[in-house]
Amino acid sequence: MSIEKHMQNVPHSRWIRALLIGLQCPFVGEKGIGDMVSTRIFSVFSKLTFLDGRKITFWLSTYPRDIFGGRFVRGVLRYLSNRKEFTRSGSIPHDVAAALKTLWYLYEANKMEPHLLYSEFYSKEISESVDLLEEYLKWSHAKYDKDLNTLVSFCQVPFILSPQAKSKILQVEAEMIKNQVVQASILQHLSGNLFAFPFLVLRVRRDHLIQDTLVQLNVERIDYLKPLKVIFEGEEGIDQGGVTKEFFQLLCRELFNVDYGMFTYEEETRNFWFNPNSMESEETFELVGIILGLGIYNNVILDVHLPLVVYKKVLNIKPLLHDLNDLQPQLGKSLQQLLDYEGDVEETFSLTFQITYDYFGEMKTYDLQPGGGNVPVTNENREKYTELYVKYLLEDSIKDQFQSFNKGFQQVCGHHALQLFHYEELELLICGLPHFDFDALEKVTVYQGGYTKDTGVVKWFWELVKDMPLEEKKALLFFTTGNDRAPVGGLGCLPFIIQRNGGETDRLPTAHTCFNVLLLPEYNSKNKLENRLKLAISNSIGFGLQ
């Protein structure tokens, strides 16, 4: 391909058109001659100027979905999957870098005109084969430009990395920071500071969870980055992870209780939202952000149900009309109908730039712009009305509450790795997967103490699990792991152990939630196993958790 020779002398419209035609070649991404063709095409993409790049991004966005996804994106991903090595002497090879630059243009085009889900840009091969620690270190220490003229790390193109890979990078970062903080604490202690401890230790009472946690976290602000240990007052035992998981579950349950007044609950979407009328202090909303951050930082999945727009706002992405669909879909639909209406908007809807809202049972008004009550909504200004209404609902009305929440979250997680995540991936990281593949869990389960996959009680166990309704499966997961959601990557990524805990007995099964270990006696019948197991999981909160 000789496009490169003519880029400076031939009108842009001609060689850009030729480049787009070349990208449609059915050989792109294939082995053999396709590999050579692809390499030449991607090389041209890698040399585009900023202005040329913007033009070609626009043109890419205009293609139909089948060509955009089937030819363009999958062609580049196939090419990458055929590479024998993704790094060479610590650097990304030129052919791989050129393909990634091409994929970056496609990703930017997809943001302009959504054709594909963001997950369709993942490269399984890169996510699973590169040294994530090395990539993180190169990325966090290097200086580079956002237009990828210099590609030093795969972290510069995070859309190709799977959620599992990003989660590992975040945990790598967390462990590095924890180790630095712990070492500093030990040095301080050796230097005579007897109050320097390597852990963030919270002592809380079960009936005063919020108050005790708030007081201690306010005092121990500099200790957020230390490994967390939780002690429930009056209860013996060392926290090896299970107590911490239970602490998070109970605290989130109280913080998101609508009776507490911090959040409202939207029945239509089953999501919580910041209560604009809340009388709680800024520190309490900050606590919620800290708790979500500590959950990520300590690799604990949390049972929180927030709309996706919260995670967009955390990542500094401006909310739009469609974000209402995850919070108040009926209102979002009504505003969209207003925008689409072909008749006389002012005469039909009789709206002004003034809205009403409920304040403890009293209806109050709010002007979306100065003198809004005297400004009618017309065909000409309806877009502005919709934009201001959405801004009021998702930003202005909860400004103080969200700012405090975000301040707490960023104090814990406002480091490099957070930038890698798409907002939906961030939700997945915090809340886990809501669906369960217990077949995948069965395949990765390890058996100890004399059990094998063919032991009778083990076979009965999996038969019972697969017949359980969803709520019982969630309860079993909580009983054995301390969380009722699957981790990033699904249950197939969960280390799970079933260990023999004696022979025939009336004792209940127990669990070490810190290690995801189920201690299962070898009952002599399937009926007895079912009875003992269901009784154990129904009484799991606060008991049998270590």
Side-chain angles (χ1 to χ4, degrees):
M1 180 176 289
S2 58
I3 292 178
E4 296 165 82
K5 297 179 181 179
H6 305 290
M7 289 173 68
Q8 302 300 323
N9 305 316
V10 176
H12 291 72
S13 59
R14 291 181 61 187
W15 66 257
I16 285 180
R17 187 178 306 167
L19 188 56
L20 292 171
I21 292 173
L23 195 60
Q24 295 179 62
C25 174
F27 290 121
V28 170
E30 301 298 330
K31 296 181 179 179
I33 190 173
D35 197 78
M36 181 184 69
V37 171
S38 303
T39 299
R40 299 296 295 274
I41 293 173
F42 300 156
S43 176
V44 178
F45 269 97
S46 70
K47 296 174 183 177
L48 294 176
T49 65
F50 174 75
L51 289 177
D52 291 337
R54 290 185 63 179
K55 290 177 183 177
I56 209 159
T57 299
F58 169 76
W59 282 110
L60 287 170
S61 72
T62 65
Y63 278 82
R65 185 182 188 280
D66 57 337
I67 294 178
F68 184 88
R71 285 279 177 89
F72 296 168
V73 174
R74 285 172 197 155
V76 181
L77 288 174
R78 277 197 305 271
Y79 176 86
L80 287 170
S81 69
N82 293 333
R83 299 300 91 193
K84 292 182 179 179
E85 55 182 357
F86 295 113
T87 57
R88 190 180 299 136
S89 301
S91 301
I92 299 175
H94 293 303
D95 56 345
V96 175
L100 291 172
K101 183 67 179 285
T102 306
L103 197 62
W104 178 74
Y105 283 122
L106 289 163
Y107 184 76
E108 292 298 310
N110 195 61
K111 290 197 292 187
M112 293 174 63
E113 185 63 41
H115 293 291
L116 305 175
L117 296 173
Y118 67 91
S119 56
E120 295 191 54
F121 286 85
Y122 294 155
S123 169
K124 181 175 182 291
E125 292 76 16
I126 291 177
S127 296
E128 294 180 356
S129 63
V130 300
D131 186 329
L132 297 174
L133 172 58
E134 181 182 349
E135 294 303 314
Y136 168 77
L137 291 174
K138 289 190 296 184
W139 173 63
S140 60
H141 292 120
K143 293 186 181 295
Y144 50 83
D145 57 88
K146 292 184 179 180
D147 295 320
L148 300 190
N149 290 325
T150 304
L151 190 64
V152 299
S153 166
F154 291 105
C155 292
Q156 286 172 255
V157 283
F159 54 82
I160 67 167
L161 298 175
S162 67
Q164 297 96 306
K166 293 174 187 175
S167 179
K168 289 177 183 176
I169 291 173
L170 187 141
Q171 291 306 317
V172 163
E173 180 183 73
E175 288 303 316
M176 290 174 61
I177 295 173
K178 284 180 186 177
N179 289 338
Q180 292 171 1
V181 174
V182 168
Q183 289 173 12
S185 295
I186 292 173
L187 289 175
Q188 290 178 34
H189 193 80
L190 292 175
S191 300
N193 184 355
L194 301 180
F195 296 99
F197 296 103
F199 296 98
L200 168 57
V201 181
L202 297 180
R203 290 182 172 272
V204 295
R205 295 165 292 176
R206 285 184 179 270
D207 54 350
H208 293 83
L209 267 183
I210 295 178
Q211 296 91 324
D212 290 353
T213 305
L214 184 60
V215 168
Q216 291 178 69
L217 288 181
N218 274 337
V219 172
E220 305 292 345
R221 283 179 179 272
I222 60 172
D223 288 344
Y224 295 151
L225 305 182
K226 293 180 180 179
L228 178 63
K229 298 289 183 183
V230 177
I231 299 172
F232 284 111
E233 289 288 356
E235 299 181 23
E236 296 295 327
I238 298 174
D239 181 12
Q240 295 179 309
V243 177
T244 295
K245 290 179 181 179
E246 185 186 8
F247 162 76
F248 277 112
Q249 294 287 347
L250 296 177
L251 183 60
C252 285
R253 194 173 301 165
E254 288 197 25
L255 287 169
F256 286 90
N257 187 331
V258 292
D259 292 335
Y260 196 70
M262 294 181 65
F263 295 89
T264 59
Y265 182 68
E266 301 294 333
E267 291 285 351
E268 192 174 4
T269 59
R270 298 183 179 180
N271 280 324
F272 290 92
W273 184 243
F274 301 93
N275 184 354
N277 303 326
S278 176
M279 306 300 289
E280 282 299 322
S281 65
E282 293 180 4
E283 288 78 11
T284 312
F285 279 100
E286 189 177 332
L287 171 64
V288 179
I290 291 170
I291 291 301
L292 264 63
L294 287 175
I296 291 177
Y297 200 66
N298 290 275
N299 204 21
V300 177
I301 294 172
L302 303 179
D303 184 22
V304 296
H305 303 274
L306 295 167
L308 282 172
V309 68
V310 172
Y311 304 105
K312 291 183 74 171
K313 285 163 67 69
V314 163
L315 296 174
N316 293 317
I317 301 173
K318 183 176 176 60
L320 300 172
L321 173 58
H322 65 79
D323 293 311
L324 267 182
N325 295 332
D326 205 27
L327 182 64
Q328 298 181 40
Q330 194 57 49
L331 177 57
K333 182 179 179 181
S334 297
L335 290 175
Q336 187 61 55
Q337 288 175 341
L338 174 67
L339 291 174
D340 297 337
Y341 188 67
E342 296 182 356
D344 189 317
V345 167
E346 182 178 2
E347 181 179 339
T348 303
F349 292 93
S350 301
L351 295 171
T352 68
F353 276 69
Q354 184 180 79
I355 60 174
T356 59
Y357 65 95
D358 181 278
Y359 183 77
F360 296 109
E362 177 186 353
M363 298 308 295
K364 292 196 170 188
T365 60
Y366 176 84
D367 286 345
L368 296 175
Q369 66 178 44
N374 299 317
V375 181
V377 178
T378 65
N379 293 61
E380 290 72 29
N381 65 18
R382 57 183 168 180
E383 287 189 9
K384 181 180 181 182
Y385 169 80
T386 302
E387 180 181 333
L388 290 174
Y389 200 167
V390 170
K391 183 175 183 292
Y392 167 74
L393 290 171
L394 301 182
E395 298 183 71
D396 298 341
S397 66
I398 49 101
K399 180 180 178 181
D400 293 339
Q401 293 87 339
F402 179 78
Q403 281 185 345
S404 297
F405 163 84
N406 194 40
K407 177 184 176 183
F409 183 83
Q410 298 294 343
Q411 283 182 73
V412 184
C413 284
H415 307 291
H416 283 88
L418 189 67
Q419 303 168 33
L420 300 175
F421 288 85
H422 186 275
Y423 59 88
E424 291 185 42
E425 295 171 332
L426 184 56
E427 181 196 35
L428 180 63
L429 182 68
I430 294 173
C431 306
L433 287 165
H435 54 272
F436 312 109
D437 183 357
F438 275 89
D439 288 331
L441 181 62
E442 183 180 4
K443 289 178 182 177
V444 300
T445 297
V446 175
Y447 302 97
Q448 296 180 351
Y451 280 162
T452 70
K453 64 182 179 63
D454 297 317
T455 304
V457 71
V458 170
K459 289 184 174 180
W460 295 336
F461 171 80
W462 290 115
E463 289 170 6
L464 291 171
V465 168
K466 291 169 185 177
D467 288 337
M468 286 179 176
L470 178 61
E471 289 306 312
E472 280 192 6
K473 287 180 178 178
K474 291 175 67 176
L476 172 64
L477 200 60
F478 181 81
F479 172 63
T480 53
T481 70
N483 290 297
D484 64 358
R485 285 195 165 205
V488 174
L491 291 181
C493 295
L494 183 71
F496 188 64
I497 298 171
I498 297 179
Q499 181 175 319
R500 188 176 186 274
N501 192 25
E504 165 60 23
T505 180
D506 288 331
R507 288 183 292 108
L508 300 178
T510 54
H512 293 307
T513 57
C514 47
F515 304 117
N516 303 329
V517 177
L518 173 63
L519 301 172
L520 187 67
E522 192 167 4
Y523 299 110
N524 61 10
S525 73
K526 185 176 179 179
N527 286 339
K528 188 167 186 179
L529 168 63
E530 180 177 17
N531 173 272
R532 299 284 87 187
L533 182 63
K534 290 188 175 182
L535 183 59
I537 64 177
S538 66
N539 294 285
S540 62
I541 298 179
F543 300 92
L545 300 173
Q546 299 180 29

